[in-house]
Amino acid sequence: MLRNLIAYLDSVKSRDPAPRSRAEILLYPGVWSLVFHRVAHRLYRARLYFLARAVNHFSRFLTGNDIHPGARIGRRFFIDHGFTVIGETAEIGDDVTLYQNVTLGGTDPANGIAGKRHPTLEDGVIVGSGAQVLGPVRVGARARIGANAVVTRDVKEGATMVGIPARAMLVDVTAYQREFLPYGTPCADTLDPEKQKLEQLQAEVEQLRKRLAELLAERGGAPDDDVSSIKERGRA
């Protein structure tokens, strides 16, 4: 048990450069949230729902994180800072990191029958601050959800999602190969999805211009002459 605790504390330190020692990490609210959840989840599985809820409310009072006792959480889970909400049917894999104000929320089943209503996060997922992952969606392994993104559809493995609604963005290979990326999103302006779309459109326009020049050259006319003739026809 001591070995597992040390391994967990080391995993937290590798994701957060702030603590100077393992003992300092023991004061983190996210760590205590996980401890209380392990207790509440065992009570929940034993059908002691009231006691499970009582532990859950006590944990929320102390840590600011609200994790439903029914949620399934893997190893080395870390909530950085706090004020996170995790729903009853949420499933979280190993080495998952959530930042502050994240919601793993559920949707109301159309048939009125309670079932899988919350998301599934596979191993190594990073969810940035303020992000909302809603409904029974699956977030693939090593995916990254950017700050304030709203995810309502499945996310492919290794994808980086930003925006409302969240959409995939291209990531520089040097950033992608990093073992851990704080808040889940590269901060360079060159990785902005809207800017990438504009650059793609500009590249397409340049290609069309070159192709038009080649066609005009084949016809034996200069581009300026053809443009002038078009203007004259318009005046006529």
Side-chain angles (χ1 to χ4, degrees):
M1 182 179 294
L2 180 60
R3 183 180 301 175
N4 291 336
L5 176 60
I6 292 174
Y8 173 68
L9 297 177
D10 287 342
S11 73
V12 171
K13 199 172 187 305
S14 68
R15 288 174 274 181
D16 182 9
R20 299 295 186 269
S21 65
R22 293 168 179 162
E24 188 177 343
I25 298 174
L26 291 174
L27 299 176
Y28 277 26
V31 172
W32 282 103
S33 295
L34 182 59
V35 172
F36 284 120
H37 174 72
R38 298 299 191 200
V39 176
H41 186 65
R42 290 198 175 192
L43 294 171
Y44 183 87
R45 294 185 62 183
R47 298 181 181 274
L48 300 173
Y49 301 122
F50 179 81
L51 291 177
R53 276 290 194 176
V55 173
N56 164 239
H57 280 275
F58 182 68
S59 173
R60 183 172 62 179
F61 174 76
L62 289 180
T63 68
N65 296 310
D66 186 3
I67 306 176
H68 193 284
R72 299 180 180 181
I73 298 178
R75 297 172 296 177
R76 297 178 296 278
F77 174 64
F78 177 46
I79 299 176
D80 199 348
H81 303 294
F83 305 102
T84 288
V85 177
I86 300 176
E88 178 184 12
T89 60
E91 299 177 50
I92 299 175
D94 298 336
D95 302 300
V96 172
T97 303
L98 306 184
Y99 284 88
Q100 63 270 20
N101 300 316
V102 167
T103 299
L104 304 184
T107 53
D108 186 21
N111 58 8
I113 301 174
K116 176 65 172 171
R117 310 184 309 280
H118 300 87
T120 297
L121 275 56
E122 296 183 355
D123 297 347
V125 170
I126 304 171
V127 183
S129 58
Q132 315 288 310
V133 186
L134 307 176
V137 300
R138 180 173 292 275
V139 180
R142 296 177 294 104
R144 296 157 182 172
I145 310 300
N148 295 318
V150 178
V151 178
T152 57
R153 296 182 180 179
D154 290 349
V155 177
K156 294 182 179 180
E157 179 179 343
T160 296
M161 309 293 290
V162 298
I164 304 175
R167 57 196 181 278
M169 62 183 293
L170 298 176
V171 181
D172 181 73
V173 66
T174 56
Y176 181 80
Q177 289 177 345
R178 293 177 59 181
E179 293 183 0
F180 184 79
L181 189 64
Y183 291 92
T185 308
C187 296
D189 292 337
T190 56
L191 301 175
D192 180 69
E194 299 301 328
K195 189 172 182 179
Q196 290 174 352
K197 289 181 181 179
L198 289 175
E199 290 177 351
Q200 290 175 355
L201 288 174
Q202 290 176 352
E204 291 178 2
V205 169
E206 290 298 326
Q207 291 179 355
L208 290 173
R209 285 178 177 174
K210 291 180 180 179
R211 181 57 181 163
L212 178 60
E214 292 175 357
L215 291 173
L216 292 174
E218 291 177 359
R219 291 176 55 186
D224 294 338
D225 295 340
D226 282 31
V227 171
S228 322
S229 62
I230 291 173
K231 289 182 178 178
E232 291 176 1
R233 290 176 187 175
R235 292 173 183 173

